[in-house]
Amino acid sequence: MKISARVENSHSHHHVTLATNDQPHTLDIPPKATGYGSSANGGELLFLALATCYGNDIYREAAARGIEVTAVEVEVSGDFGAPGEPARHITYRAKVTGRGSAAELEALARHTDSVAEIQNTLRAGAAVRLDAVQVATIE
């Protein structure tokens, strides 16, 4: 599965395009009040990625186990320090509602934590590199 994200930003314009396997869709995130940049910061979006991954994976793993899940709530929190410092103390909580015993739902939730791809990517410390930079000057 190939995933990409693209941000285009200029004064009072902020456009986000996401794609999985070359199937694009947009996410509505307005620009900052100053007109430049995104009103959502990278830390918020990182934590949203963790919450979204876990929530989606609960449904996937429940289906594989034959468990009907009717609702999922996920809250992620953590701390960022000075510019350039990585996040610390990232934790998340989940509430899973479904048809099954409490033990089955808890086992599902704990199993999902072990297979959630975004969580495992951060836990593994994946390498990230800047591949290219283009610049344009204004005269």
Side-chain angles (χ1 to χ4, degrees):
M1 175 173 21
K2 181 175 171 72
I3 296 178
S4 64
R6 180 181 177 95
V7 172
E8 298 170 58
N9 184 272
S10 58
H11 189 261
S12 297
H13 172 81
H14 189 75
H15 186 76
V16 177
T17 304
L18 308 171
T20 297
N21 294 330
D22 298 321
Q23 297 298 310
H25 57 100
T26 61
L27 182 62
D28 186 29
I29 301 174
K32 285 183 177 182
T34 61
Y36 289 105
S38 172
S39 62
N41 68 51
E44 292 168 336
L45 295 174
L46 175 65
F47 290 1
L48 175 61
L50 287 161
T52 300
C53 178
Y54 185 79
N56 285 346
D57 287 1
I58 281 284
Y59 291 110
R60 178 190 71 202
E61 297 302 314
R65 292 175 176 220
I67 299 172
E68 181 186 357
V69 169
T70 58
V72 178
E73 295 176 32
V74 184
E75 181 180 345
V76 180
S77 63
D79 300 315
F80 281 86
E85 289 183 2
R88 300 180 313 272
H89 313 295
I90 301 171
T91 60
Y92 70 104
R93 300 172 176 209
K95 178 180 178 184
V96 180
T97 304
R99 301 193 196 295
S101 70
E104 288 173 317
L105 293 173
E106 183 171 344
L108 168 66
R110 295 199 179 280
H111 168 73
T112 300
D113 175 65
S114 73
V115 298
E117 293 83 2
I118 302 302
Q119 279 76 345
N120 286 337
T121 298
L122 290 180
R123 290 170 181 149
V128 178
R129 68 180 167 86
L130 177 62
D131 192 40
V133 175
Q134 292 181 331
V135 297
T137 60
I138 300 173
E139 294 184 27

